Amino acid sequence: MKGFLILCYMSPLLLLFPNLVFGSHNYGEALSKSFLFYEAQRSGFLPHDQRVQWRGNSGLNDGKASGVDLVGGYYDAGDNVKFGLPMAFTVTMMSWSIIEYGKQMSESGELSNAIDAIKWGTDYLLKAHPEPHVLYGEVGDGTTDHYCWQRPEDMTTSRAAYRIDPSRPGSDLAGETAATMAAASIVFRNNNPAYAEELLTHAYQLFEFADKYRGKYDSSITVAQKYYRSVSGYADELLWAAAWLYKASNKQYYLNYLGENGDALGGTGWSMTEFGWDVKYAGVQTLAAKFLMQGNAGNHAAVFEKYQEKAENFMCACLGKGNQNIHKSPGGLIFRQRWNNMQFVTSASFLATVYSDYLASSGKSLKCASGPVSPPELLDFAKSQVDYLLGDNPRATSYMVGYSNNYPRQVHHRGSSIVSVKVDPTFVSCRGGYATWFNRKANDPNLLTGAIVGGPDAYDNFADQRDNYEQTEPATYNNAPLIGVLARLHGGQSEYSQLLPVAIPQPKPDPEQKVAPAPASDIAIEQKETTSWVREGKTYYRYSGIVTNISSKTLKNLKLSVSQLYGSLWGLSKYGESYVFPAWINSLPAGKSLEFVYIHTANSPAVVSVSSYTLD
């Protein structure tokens, strides 16, 4: 064991494999391709600016049988199921990446794509939370889905929706989704404040739901147990949600929650060697350490010092300089498990990257059992893992599809492995997909650009075969932590203190459109309640909305965002995730108005805002 640790500590690939010659990597290219992968994973009505053209609309009736709109969101991996827990974690990590490295993303030209990727997830999660104590956590189920091999545009598998509520709690699912909403609210705070406030309101409700009605979500949504079982329980998600709510709201309540519950919920007791969609402790500890270094711990400083100690244990374990070290392959890749190991590589790399910057900002070093470690050494570890992933490894293989010349060509992914519905619309049957496409010993007809697959085994071996799902299946939560690291490496040395509040740059707007939030002097929106009634013990409210063009020009291409709507709407047409002019009009002359109405169960109006429009 001692010799192995020395090998991992040195991990000089050129000494171990003298015939390999590696070049520098284009982190900006890898960052750009990562966002294309998220477009390939989209469910629902695809937008007009969809860049991954081999995909089509799918899952258009999701939630309908349950009386709720659950169209949208992301498929988690190579299947066609929407699993709420990994989806929420994915979006949380995307948001954290932007919060830390939005400036670098903006400089690389990818900030707008990053924000679009987050909003695709949060728009769905908002719909999945129709009531304060109700959250839909899955659409479809793994058993019927895995029996079939169909592209999402053809799927005939079950699209049943599964939920948690007070009688069927799921604190881990609700807590992670609260963290998602809170983290995303920070991203949207400057460029879409109304949306940010909506997200934060949902985050408050979800945290209260998670904390009040405690239980594991997979005890309520049992169909998730074979695929995303909550092994760690829900204590880590409660702390994780509280940390993000404090960061988003600055409310003392959530800081007190971290301070008062750190011991009882395990945040100050567990030294972790992994971080991911199930186990959040290392992430909580890293955030708590940041709060401490910022001077925000207050009366809870002693507790936050224990959080920081555990955060540093994680960092030291990654470096091989702690008391409990992470295993590494002969080529230097950290190795946690045989199935989709790369998820732990990207998440550990992200925590190491941000913690390196926190230490550098505070002028401190990492304290490990073997001695102090400088911040650049911690960042070098993260870089070594990313470089391995992108091709600096014994196989000289990039584990990001479409990056470099040598990458997986037979990805375990339904959509990429079956000819595009736009090339051949012939229906692919449930079992026929296995016979015709899954068993083909040929490259995928569609390139799943940017996808990070499960990766090699403990000895750096990898088999590029479609049925080798442990190694060739990608997942959304593989990419999410990596986008922050790629932005950081592409941007070079940070030009600001990572411990000071970071202003997330605004993405550059489309020059042809005026983008909300418009308290647009061009458009006025008024809403009022017109009547209400009680039926079977439930109160229903009817609202009238008036959209008026108060400009001097003709209003065209209007897109409205409507959220917190718990019922049906008439007078506008649904277009993807937006509402547009009804079919009978295509413009609104100066001074003219149009009316829409909706009926729902909330004693408050829906949130209606302008997404975009043009004036002619």
Side-chain angles (χ1 to χ4, degrees):
M1 179 62 75
K2 183 178 179 182
F4 176 74
L5 290 178
I6 292 173
L7 179 64
C8 290
Y9 163 62
M10 296 176 66
S11 65
L13 281 171
L14 293 178
L15 293 178
L16 293 171
F17 307 98
N19 295 326
L20 292 178
V21 178
F22 300 129
S24 59
H25 287 288
N26 188 333
Y27 302 116
E29 177 191 344
L31 177 65
S32 299
K33 288 182 173 178
S34 289
F35 295 117
L36 290 173
F37 170 59
Y38 286 110
E39 293 193 18
Q41 294 301 107
R42 285 171 170 171
S43 180
F45 292 94
L46 301 185
H48 70 281
D49 57 355
Q50 170 84 6
R51 294 176 295 170
V52 179
Q53 288 295 306
W54 52 266
R55 280 296 322 283
N57 297 335
S58 62
L60 303 186
N61 292 314
D62 284 358
K64 188 173 183 179
S66 300
V68 63
D69 176 9
L70 295 176
V71 176
Y74 290 110
Y75 302 117
D76 72 301
D79 53 29
N80 298 327
V81 184
K82 296 191 297 201
F83 292 99
L85 185 58
M87 190 194 306
F89 175 74
T90 294
V91 180
T92 303
M93 293 307 298
M94 285 185 192
S95 296
W96 197 357
S97 292
I98 291 182
I99 290 165
E100 300 289 353
Y101 302 113
K103 180 175 181 291
Q104 288 90 335
M105 284 189 202
S106 180
E107 290 170 351
S108 70
E110 290 298 325
L111 182 60
S112 61
N113 288 324
I115 290 176
D116 286 347
I118 289 173
K119 195 168 186 296
W120 193 268
T122 52
D123 281 351
Y124 169 80
L125 293 172
L126 286 171
K127 293 195 289 187
H129 183 226
E131 301 172 34
H133 293 164
V134 172
L135 177 63
Y136 285 85
E138 184 171 329
V139 178
D141 71 86
T143 300
T144 59
D145 181 89
H146 284 56
Y147 181 74
C148 298
W149 193 264
Q150 293 175 289
R151 54 196 174 196
E153 296 83 0
D154 285 334
M155 59 184 168
T156 55
T157 51
S158 168
R159 302 305 291 171
Y162 302 89
R163 61 185 251 178
I164 57 172
D165 53 41
S167 64
R168 296 165 292 187
S171 300
D172 30 22
L173 175 63
E176 177 59 68
T177 311
T180 303
M181 302 295 197
S185 76
I186 301 172
V187 172
F188 290 101
R189 183 174 293 158
N190 291 326
N191 73 321
N192 195 342
Y195 190 67
E197 190 60 33
E198 180 185 3
L199 290 168
L200 197 52
T201 298
H202 281 262
Y204 292 142
Q205 294 174 351
L206 283 162
F207 180 78
E208 191 265 345
F209 174 34
D211 197 33
K212 182 176 181 180
Y213 300 99
R214 294 192 179 188
K216 283 178 54 177
Y217 96 103
D218 58 4
S219 296
S220 300
I221 303 178
T222 56
V223 293
Q225 289 181 0
K226 282 180 61 178
Y227 305 96
Y228 290 100
R229 191 179 192 92
S230 182
V231 177
S232 71
Y234 56 77
D236 51 337
E237 276 87 7
L238 291 175
L239 295 172
W240 177 243
W244 278 110
L245 276 160
Y246 172 67
K247 188 168 179 61
S249 70
N250 205 34
K251 289 187 176 182
Q252 188 67 30
Y253 173 83
Y254 299 105
L255 189 75
N256 291 342
Y257 191 96
L258 285 170
E260 294 165 5
N261 294 280
D263 292 343
L265 296 178
T268 59
W270 288 103
S271 284
M272 305 308 303
T273 55
E274 70 174 271
F275 172 57
W277 61 263
D278 180 31
V279 187
K280 315 290 166 46
Y281 283 116
V284 173
Q285 291 155 357
T286 301
L287 284 172
K290 181 178 187 179
F291 300 155
L292 179 68
M293 286 188 263
Q294 289 173 317
N296 293 335
N299 296 332
H300 303 292
V303 176
F304 278 68
E305 286 170 1
K306 291 195 286 184
Y307 277 116
Q308 183 176 28
E309 177 191 350
K310 295 301 186 287
E312 300 211 341
N313 286 351
F314 177 85
M315 307 303 163
C316 295
C318 290
L319 292 168
K321 295 188 174 188
N323 293 318
Q324 181 186 6
N325 294 315
I326 294 176
H327 293 293
K328 293 179 184 172
S329 72
L333 185 74
I334 64 174
F335 189 82
R336 178 71 189 176
Q337 68 182 34
R338 191 174 60 183
W339 189 333
N340 190 16
N341 179 66
M342 207 59 83
Q343 62 180 302
F344 302 110
V345 175
T346 60
S347 58
S349 299
F350 178 85
L351 291 186
T353 299
V354 297
Y355 203 75
S356 168
D357 284 338
Y358 298 163
L359 289 171
S361 298
S362 60
K364 296 180 179 178
S365 60
L366 177 64
K367 303 178 185 70
C368 293
S370 62
V373 175
S374 68
E377 189 174 343
L378 191 55
L379 184 61
D380 284 345
F381 157 77
K383 182 178 182 298
S384 74
Q385 299 302 297
V386 174
D387 288 349
Y388 182 110
L389 186 155
L390 294 178
D392 291 6
N393 56 63
R395 289 179 50 85
T397 296
S398 165
Y399 294 104
M400 174 182 280
V401 177
Y403 181 88
S404 187
N405 295 320
N406 184 23
Y407 54 82
R409 310 279 178 161
Q410 295 187 32
V411 182
H412 184 90
H413 186 277
R414 287 157 175 76
S416 66
S417 68
I418 302 175
V419 65
S420 170
V421 69
K422 296 181 180 180
V423 174
D424 183 356
T426 305
F427 174 72
V428 176
S429 67
C430 169
R431 301 301 291 175
Y434 274 109
T436 306
W437 296 102
F438 179 80
N439 293 323
R440 279 175 80 239
K441 303 303 180 186
N443 294 346
D444 294 339
N446 308 306
L447 191 63
L448 194 63
T449 303
I452 298 171
V453 298
D457 66 13
Y459 303 98
D460 303 301
N461 299 312
F462 177 80
D464 183 14
Q465 298 166 355
R466 194 168 295 113
D467 60 356
N468 180 21
Y469 53 84
E470 292 181 340
Q471 294 189 327
T472 63
E473 186 171 19
T476 56
Y477 43 89
N478 294 5
N479 285 65
L482 188 68
I483 62 176
V485 187
L486 290 171
R488 173 67 172 84
L489 294 175
H490 178 64
Q493 184 59 41
S494 294
E495 297 177 1
Y496 54 85
S497 170
Q498 215 73 11
L499 295 181
L500 294 177
V502 177
I504 297 170
Q506 303 231 9
K508 295 177 182 177
D510 184 338
E512 296 182 359
Q513 293 185 328
K514 293 193 175 183
V515 179
S521 49
D522 301 324
I523 302 169
I525 299 175
E526 297 180 54
Q527 296 190 78
K528 63 180 180 179
E529 179 186 331
T530 58
T531 187
S532 64
W533 64 93
V534 177
R535 181 179 178 183
E536 296 181 355
K538 183 176 287 190
T539 305
Y540 294 85
Y541 303 87
R542 182 186 187 276
Y543 286 88
S544 168
I546 304 292
V547 178
T548 304
N549 177 8
I550 57 176
S551 76
S552 59
K553 298 181 179 180
T554 299
L555 176 66
K556 292 185 175 181
N557 302 316
L558 175 66
K559 284 189 179 180
L560 298 175
S561 171
V562 182
S563 58
Q564 297 184 34
L565 172 64
Y566 310 120
S568 299
L569 183 148
W570 298 269
L572 296 171
S573 295
K574 192 78 184 291
Y575 181 80
E577 300 300 309
S578 302
Y579 286 86
V580 298
F581 284 134
W584 54 89
I585 67 171
N586 56 23
S587 63
L588 198 62
K592 297 297 183 181
S593 301
L594 70 86
E595 181 182 18
F596 62 92
V597 297
Y598 58 90
I599 297 170
H600 71 170
T601 55
N603 188 16
S604 58
V607 177
V608 182
S609 60
V610 179
S611 296
S612 60
Y613 63 97
T614 58
L615 295 175
D616 190 0

